[in-house]
Amino acid sequence: MLKYILRRLAMLIPVLIGVSIITFSLIHLIPGDPARSMLGEKASEAQLELLREELGLNDSYLVQYGRFISNILRGDLGTSIQSKESIAYELAQKLPATIELSLFAMILAIVVGVLAGVISAVKQYSWFDHLSMTGALFGVSLPIFWLGLMMIWLFSVQFNILPPSGRMTTGVHLETITNFYLIDSLLTGNWEAFKDVLQHILLPGIALATIPMAIIARMTRSSMLEVMRQDYIRTAYAKGLKRFIIIFQHALKNAFLPVLTVIGLQFGTLLGGAVLTETIFSWPGVGRYVYLAVLGRDYPIVQSTILIIAAIFVFINLLTDILYKYFDPRIKYN
Amino acid sequence: MKAALLEVRHLHTHFFTKSGTVKAVDDVSFSVKPGETLGIVGESGSGKSMTAMSILGLIPSPPGKIVSGEILFKGEDLLKKSEKEMRQIRGKEISMVFQDPMTSLNPVFTIEKQMVETIRAHEKVSKKQAFERSLDLLHLVGIPDVKKRIKMYPHEFSGGMRQRVMIAMALSCNPSLLIADEPTTALDVTIQAQILELFKKMQDELNMAIIMITHDLGVVAEVCDEVLVMYAGKAVEMTYTKQLFDNGKHPYTLGLMQSIPKITPNKEKLEVIEGLPPDLRRLPKGCHFAPRCKYVMERCLIEGPDMTKVSEHHTVRCLLYEKTKKAVKQ
Ligand SMILES: Nc1ncnc2c1ncn2[C@@H]1O[C@H](COP(=O)(O)OP(=O)(O)OP(=O)(O)O)[C@@H](O)[C@H]1O
Ligand SMILES: [Mg+2]
């Protein structure tokens, strides 16, 4: 198992090199002069030359790529053209916000989706089954931005029970350790901040969770229905095991495999959904950061962030593959 | 005479489907004494498995339901027991081995986990004790290198070995009744013989009763003390194995026996029973076997016969043997 993980990690190197080449080329694929497209029509030739010098655009591509890579390996992701801040520093602030939101949404989607799927399968054709599967059908077809806006309108404007934007109310004090606010507030035992952070993450979290939750619920249901018909489930009943154990252990562990594939895929989609969700809920994360960078043509930010996100995506894929092994001993990794 | 361990009386198990009521088990009565082996034979779809599942209370419901009858186990009616009480009986008092060992074990758990959980579902023993007992059981059923094998997953075993594991698991709580539903059908002929041998050996050592479901009269001849013949959900003949082979009465039983291939050099053609079993949703009036019966009489198409005693411990459901009784009635 360990050997397998190490080998898979080694196999990531060429993938990451490929990704780095693509993100590196990004800046050069823009038609015309990259410096001008970043600074706009009104920039003077002196300003353009300064930026070219700063970004090293006058060097050969190979030298530029070498510098790009060696900078990244040293943890230097460049500086933002507009704010002049270190991108690595800014990402260190924003990445945890996005990861926290995504994980929150994913955990919500998995817990609710799997549970709803299992109950729907066990009580097939019951009112619960009909209700949750109709809900799931809506869930996959609702546009996130519409859902987000409706939730803001309902919970923030009409009932005024949940905040519509941000990660935390300004004025609430929180000592940051990991920059994951839910974790930090728990670590420091700061209940007031925890409650505030939870209230903030709820709406964007639900908006982001909706689609994966619906897909997971449907997948779990059909997979469970299939598994519950299998001979080994009949054996489990004949052995006198409790129904709860049969459903949640014997059946679910088998039924989870196709669900795991869906979860892995949804993580990718989730990162895309994060851009939309973060924009609607003014969530100070990477999605919004990139969105603003694209608008402002701040290419170094776009470049570095895409690289980081691609790397995260590749690691999630690896994690899914490893989990597969846990859920299905029949898979051989040789 | 020993008291019966299990006594099934007039069992009726029906499936209420959209296309009609399937009378899967339709008036079946029999009994099994401690330490003895009863065979249940019949064609595919005759209700053998559903009889077994009825005993364990595992009829899928809906659409299935035990409509009437009694299942007395150690004198108590299982049909009156709660789900919780039944759970304590399944796997402990009555356990079951299924037809297809390739699919009957859970593919994602080790043999150890599947054995230990069975023992611990019924007895308050530590994991260690349950593990030790599992090793003993696997050894008993003839699995080599048990210490290593028990850590493996089902897919790492052959079909015969898996069936041995299933048997070990079924024996793990010393059941007084073991139901084996075509335990050898899915296996190679040589493995079949070994598994049957194993059943006989286990029965001698543990003194349990066995219900051996099969459609193979050869298996019956080999291991069973008594036989119940089923046709289209009904019990049609029940007696001692020897009596059945020497003096079988029901035309269906006779047909079954003529269709056994014999190892004799004459090139006589095997006799097969013409026709197919009836659709259980649209059963013919009268005797269900009548459309295929060589000895069919006019009465058979109108009157459904009851089980009639033809001699001590030998009952048959056929009008040919009911004459006397009916005559007395008239
Ligand atoms: N879930 C169900 N719904 C409807 N009918 C069913 C269901 N399960 C079983 N039956 C019917 O019950 C009848 C008896 O089935 P059973 O499995 O007991 O046959 P069997 O004698 O064990 O046959 P085989 O030798 O093929 O195992 C069959 O005709 C089958 O169609
Ligand atoms: Mg069967």
Side-chain angles (χ1 to χ4, degrees):
Chain A
M1 188 70 178
L2 191 69
K3 241 169 87 187
Y4 167 71
I5 295 175
L6 288 178
R7 202 173 57 235
R8 279 299 305 263
L9 280 173
M11 271 160 58
L12 287 187
I13 294 170
V15 175
L16 290 176
I17 290 176
V19 170
S20 71
I21 291 176
I22 293 171
T23 45
F24 169 75
S25 320
L26 203 68
I27 204 163
H28 301 287
L29 290 174
I30 308 158
D33 177 8
R36 181 164 292 285
S37 81
M38 278 182 245
L39 291 182
E41 291 302 320
K42 286 189 223 93
S44 70
E45 191 51 44
Q47 281 173 309
L48 290 176
E49 191 47 42
L50 197 67
L51 182 66
R52 279 190 208 113
E53 207 42 55
E54 213 178 286
L55 297 179
L57 293 177
N58 295 328
D59 299 329
S60 76
Y61 286 165
L62 207 62
V63 172
Q64 285 188 45
Y65 179 69
R67 192 166 48 227
F68 178 66
I69 293 293
S70 77
N71 281 346
I72 287 171
L73 290 181
R74 278 185 286 110
D76 177 4
L77 300 178
T79 36
S80 156
I81 291 168
Q82 281 166 346
S83 71
K84 305 287 180 226
E85 284 272 12
S86 143
I87 297 175
Y89 172 78
E90 291 199 325
L91 274 182
Q93 305 298 308
K94 316 218 176 254
L95 204 55
T98 296
I99 295 178
E100 184 167 44
L101 178 62
S102 303
L103 279 182
F104 180 84
M106 209 57 201
I107 291 171
L108 187 70
I110 294 172
V111 171
V112 177
V114 167
L115 213 61
V118 168
I119 298 174
S120 292
V122 173
K123 304 229 177 279
Q124 197 188 4
Y125 304 132
S126 66
W127 64 265
F128 181 89
D129 183 23
H130 288 301
L131 195 73
S132 61
M133 286 308 120
T134 313
L137 195 63
F138 273 107
V140 284
S141 34
L142 284 184
I144 284 199
F145 69 88
W146 184 82
L147 181 71
L149 292 176
M150 287 316 281
M151 287 202 307
I152 291 176
W153 176 77
L154 193 67
F155 294 104
S156 308
V157 181
Q158 289 297 314
F159 297 123
N160 195 20
I161 43 175
L162 290 172
S165 65
R167 272 183 99 182
M168 199 165 61
T169 312
T170 33
V172 172
H173 175 75
L174 175 65
E175 201 183 319
T176 53
I177 303 166
T178 60
N179 266 325
F180 292 95
Y181 286 2
L182 284 173
I183 294 174
D184 286 346
S185 57
L186 282 179
L187 284 180
T188 54
N190 188 344
W191 293 111
E192 194 203 350
F194 181 75
K195 200 176 142 225
D196 187 66
V197 172
L198 195 62
Q199 283 177 341
H200 277 85
I201 207 170
L202 218 50
L203 290 186
I206 292 174
L208 197 54
T210 309
I211 292 177
M213 187 189 294
I215 295 177
I216 290 170
R218 293 210 299 196
M219 196 67 215
T220 307
R221 178 182 184 269
S222 66
S223 182
M224 277 295 282
L225 282 176
E226 176 66 31
V227 168
M228 293 296 284
R229 276 203 304 269
Q230 299 299 311
D231 288 350
Y232 53 80
I233 296 299
R234 185 184 58 189
T235 306
Y237 276 108
K239 293 201 300 190
L241 300 184
K242 292 200 174 80
R243 192 171 148 87
F244 184 84
I245 291 186
I246 296 174
I247 291 169
F248 283 95
Q249 240 186 30
H250 283 244
L252 190 55
K253 195 174 174 200
N254 279 281
F256 199 65
L257 224 50
V259 180
L260 192 63
T261 316
V262 168
I263 291 175
L265 290 173
Q266 285 302 310
F267 246 113
T269 328
L270 202 69
L271 293 173
V275 176
L276 216 54
T277 315
E278 289 181 0
T279 310
I280 297 166
F281 292 93
S282 311
W283 188 263
V286 176
R288 207 168 108 88
Y289 184 56
V290 178
Y291 170 71
L292 293 176
V294 170
L295 286 187
R297 302 190 175 223
D298 202 333
Y299 291 115
I301 294 184
V302 179
Q303 229 176 11
S304 303
T305 317
I306 289 181
L307 186 66
I308 296 286
I309 293 197
I312 292 177
F313 190 58
V314 168
F315 276 104
I316 289 174
N317 264 327
L318 172 63
L319 198 67
T320 323
D321 285 357
I322 293 170
L323 282 175
Y324 251 88
K325 173 84 178 157
Y326 167 74
F327 281 97
D328 193 351
R330 285 164 296 186
I331 294 179
K332 287 224 172 62
Y333 293 120
N334 290 317
Chain B
M1 210 168 117
K2 282 187 276 185
L5 173 71
L6 175 81
E7 191 171 353
V8 174
R9 290 185 189 154
H10 303 291
L11 181 67
H12 291 77
T13 303
H14 296 177
F15 287 91
F16 300 93
T17 66
K18 281 203 188 89
S19 53
T21 301
V22 180
K23 296 183 177 174
V25 181
D26 190 16
D27 193 16
V28 169
S29 304
F30 61 88
S31 64
V32 191
K33 294 193 198 78
E36 296 201 333
T37 302
L38 169 77
I40 301 184
V41 282
E43 278 166 299
S44 190
S46 56
K48 306 180 297 291
S49 297
M50 290 309 129
T51 304
M53 295 305 261
S54 300
I55 296 169
L56 280 177
L58 289 178
I59 293 293
S61 160
K65 190 172 187 299
I66 297 178
V67 192
S68 64
E70 281 175 315
I71 300 174
L72 302 172
F73 180 72
K74 295 188 172 170
E76 291 176 47
D77 192 350
L78 297 185
L79 297 182
K80 295 205 174 76
K81 299 231 179 250
S82 68
E83 175 54 30
K84 190 167 171 232
E85 290 169 314
M86 278 311 289
R87 208 171 58 224
Q88 286 158 356
I89 289 174
R90 286 179 209 133
K92 175 158 178 61
E93 295 283 343
I94 307 176
S95 53
M96 191 152 173
V97 174
F98 296 97
Q99 174 171 349
D100 193 349
M102 302 311 269
T103 55
S104 293
L105 288 162
N106 196 321
V108 301
F109 295 124
T110 58
I111 303 303
E112 172 182 356
K113 145 108 190 157
Q114 300 188 54
M115 298 230 20
V116 167
E117 74 177 350
T118 315
I119 297 171
R120 285 175 39 102
H122 298 292
E123 290 174 40
K124 285 199 167 48
V125 294
S126 70
K127 271 195 182 150
K128 177 110 179 34
Q129 285 168 306
F131 177 72
E132 294 294 331
R133 186 179 326 159
S134 304
L135 287 179
D136 291 345
L137 284 159
L138 290 174
H139 185 73
L140 191 69
V141 298
I143 304 255
D145 203 5
V146 280
K147 281 216 170 92
K148 199 173 119 220
R149 286 293 189 139
I150 196 169
K151 300 280 180 202
M152 293 186 174
Y153 289 92
H155 71 272
E156 298 169 273
F157 285 68
S158 68
M161 282 296 157
R162 285 191 217 188
Q163 199 60 303
R164 285 174 194 266
V165 172
M166 283 296 292
I167 294 170
M169 206 147 73
L171 298 179
S172 57
C173 296
N174 274 322
S176 36
L177 176 63
L178 177 70
I179 304 178
D181 190 352
E182 308 199 25
T184 58
T185 310
L187 303 173
D188 293 346
V189 189
T190 45
I191 312 288
Q192 278 187 15
Q194 291 172 11
I195 296 288
L196 285 184
E197 208 44 55
L198 179 62
F199 272 107
K200 281 200 272 189
K201 180 176 156 226
M202 290 299 114
Q203 186 169 35
D204 289 344
E205 286 186 28
L206 306 171
N207 189 41
M208 62 192 168
I210 296 181
I211 295 181
M212 179 68 68
I213 296 175
T214 176
H215 50 240
D216 184 349
L217 279 175
V219 171
V220 171
E222 189 139 342
V223 297
C224 299
D225 301 305
E226 292 178 44
V227 201
L228 170 74
V229 183
M230 287 186 67
Y231 183 79
K234 285 191 186 296
V236 295
E237 182 158 9
M238 175 154 179
T239 186
Y240 297 114
T241 306
K242 186 164 178 349
Q243 170 78 356
L244 189 87
F245 280 95
D246 294 349
N247 203 4
K249 296 278 190 226
H250 197 282
Y252 176 64
T253 311
L254 299 177
L256 274 186
M257 284 196 288
Q258 273 156 6
S259 60
I260 312 178
K262 292 185 192 71
I263 315 171
T264 37
N266 61 359
K267 287 205 177 135
E268 241 177 278
K269 253 175 75 185
L270 275 183
E271 292 220 28
V272 286
I273 308 172
E274 299 281 332
L276 290 170
D279 181 345
L280 295 182
R281 287 162 303 185
R282 283 172 209 82
L283 288 169
K285 208 172 153 228
C287 174
H288 299 337
F289 187 61
R292 300 171 75 185
C293 183
K294 278 201 228 168
Y295 310 96
V296 64
M297 307 175 289
E298 228 166 275
R299 278 176 64 203
C300 300
L301 300 172
I302 308 158
E303 275 177 64
D306 288 323
M307 281 298 253
T308 316
K309 197 167 176 174
V310 286
S311 63
E312 195 52 47
H313 206 85
H314 189 171
T315 46
V316 180
R317 187 191 296 275
C318 178
L319 288 175
L320 288 173
Y321 307 96
E322 220 175 278
K323 279 179 238 155
T324 42
K325 193 178 103 193
K326 286 275 155 79
V328 172
K329 264 190 193 164
Q330 278 162 8

